[in-house]
Amino acid sequence: MQTDQAIPRTAPDSTDRAARRAVTVFPVLVLAAGAAGLATPDTFAGWKTSVPYLLGVVMFCMGLTMTAVDFQGVMKRPWAVGLGLVAHYVIMPGLGWLIAHALNLSPQLAAGVILVGCAPSGTASNVVTYLARGDVALSVSVATVSTVLAPLVTPPLTLLLAGEYLHVDAGAMVTDILKTVLLPVLAGLAVRYFAGRYVDRVLSALPWLSAAAIAVIVVIVVSGSAAAIKSAAAMVLLAVVLHNGLGLLLGYGAGKAARLGKPASRAMAFEVGMQNSGLAASLATAHFSPLAALPAAIFSVWHNVSGALVAAWMSYRARKTEAAA
């Protein structure tokens, strides 16, 4: 869900309320979409080919909300951004591989879990960092660069870690990520640059457009594997909860170990633990199967729920510390 970049660096109370509402409503919307796909799978049987285009809409919206400030932050703190990138692309892929082995997942589900781990940062990570009173500038920088680097990083990582389960065509995956992620983001950036005043008028609608697109992706993924969900859902949910929870914990730990400070460590937690599950679902559907996309669909719901809960707890602790000071 693209709610992240649209948050001003000094957000007023109205934006705070809007951000909280978006984080709360999005999981409900995705759950409803999943239920629809499960209840009437035949209705969405022919929609599989639309998944890449829907992801392109999400990434175009992301590009529309980005500005030069997002990239300037990388130059101001290259060490912290570099650490966030390394932590993200080491911790989550590694956890995906370990969890797939530990739970003895089937090849399709194992590849799906690993692919989620190899995806760039989640598109809701920035808004959750903001709600947690974390370092939003660092969060935006890591999310931006991890997305730009995805065509170079995600396919070889998936080949390395998931190749033992299924055939992985890394070259075709690079092409797909370029078409569905990088080009739409660049197109959004261009539109924002040349028509910024018009884009500003519709910024508040972009999160909901992205949410609707991801909800439709979930409908398609769930309907495509509806027959297998009843037997596999519990195991996949366990894998997703472990993957996301350990990612949040280890991401925060990486920030603490590097002595980045508490706000930056909060940002690191969400940049590591939250994934672009829309991209993972699209790639799994295109290159593996709808069943392999199931972990990404469940991750879409769960990481927003867990992110909102962890952010609320972190915000409470931060306020408590400030009051005691």
Side-chain angles (χ1 to χ4, degrees):
M1 171 187 182
Q2 181 50 38
T3 54
D4 22 8
Q5 319 286 351
I7 300 175
R9 301 300 177 256
T10 53
D13 290 341
S14 60
T15 304
D16 188 4
R17 289 194 297 270
R20 291 179 186 276
R21 185 163 56 249
V23 171
T24 302
V25 171
F26 178 62
V28 177
L29 178 63
V30 176
L31 276 173
L38 193 61
T40 58
D42 293 339
T43 304
F44 311 99
W47 292 25
K48 178 181 175 180
T49 56
S50 64
V51 171
Y53 300 100
L54 291 165
L55 178 63
V57 170
V58 176
M59 303 317 296
F60 179 70
C61 290
M62 181 178 183
L64 286 176
T65 61
M66 294 168 68
T67 66
V69 175
D70 299 334
F71 295 94
Q72 291 170 3
V74 179
M75 305 305 297
K76 291 178 180 178
R77 288 190 293 175
W79 152 249
V81 175
L83 176 64
L85 290 171
V86 171
H88 178 86
Y89 279 122
V90 170
I91 291 173
M92 290 304 280
L95 283 174
W97 184 86
L98 287 172
I99 290 168
H101 274 264
L103 298 181
N104 194 28
L105 297 178
S106 69
Q108 296 286 345
L109 292 177
V113 169
I114 291 170
L115 183 53
V116 170
C118 295
S121 295
T123 52
S125 58
N126 302 159
V127 67
V128 175
T129 297
Y130 165 69
L131 295 177
R133 297 195 172 195
D135 189 331
V136 178
L138 176 61
S139 176
V140 170
S141 296
V142 174
T144 300
V145 179
S146 73
T147 299
V148 172
L149 292 180
L152 300 176
V153 180
T154 298
L157 273 177
T158 305
L159 175 61
L160 175 66
L161 299 175
E164 65 181 282
Y165 293 104
L166 296 174
H167 171 70
V168 178
D169 188 340
M173 199 173 283
V174 169
T175 302
D176 281 352
I177 297 176
L178 287 172
K179 291 190 299 185
T180 60
V181 175
L182 196 56
L183 287 182
V185 167
L186 292 177
L189 278 168
V191 172
R192 179 68 183 268
Y193 180 80
F194 290 107
R197 61 176 179 172
Y198 299 106
V199 173
D200 289 341
R201 298 176 184 175
V202 298
L203 276 179
S204 61
L206 296 182
W208 305 109
L209 177 59
S210 297
I214 292 182
V216 177
I217 291 175
V218 171
V219 165
I220 296 168
V221 169
V222 171
S223 64
S225 55
I229 285 179
K230 291 182 180 179
S231 61
M235 186 62 72
V236 175
L237 178 60
L238 175 60
V240 166
V241 171
L242 289 173
H243 201 181
N244 170 243
L246 291 172
L248 292 171
L249 180 63
L250 293 176
Y252 185 83
K256 292 288 287 183
R259 299 182 180 181
L260 295 181
K262 289 184 178 180
S265 296
R266 295 181 198 124
M268 288 282 288
F270 299 116
E271 288 309 316
V272 171
M274 299 184 72
Q275 301 294 92
N276 189 332
S277 47
L279 172 60
S282 176
L283 292 176
T285 301
H287 294 273
F288 301 144
S289 70
L291 181 59
L294 184 58
I298 294 179
F299 205 100
S300 292
V301 180
W302 177 255
H303 79 155
N304 283 282
V305 173
S306 67
L309 292 173
V310 172
W313 179 75
M314 286 182 171
S315 178
Y316 168 77
R317 290 294 298 271
R319 291 195 302 269
K320 191 174 180 180
T321 301
E322 291 169 6

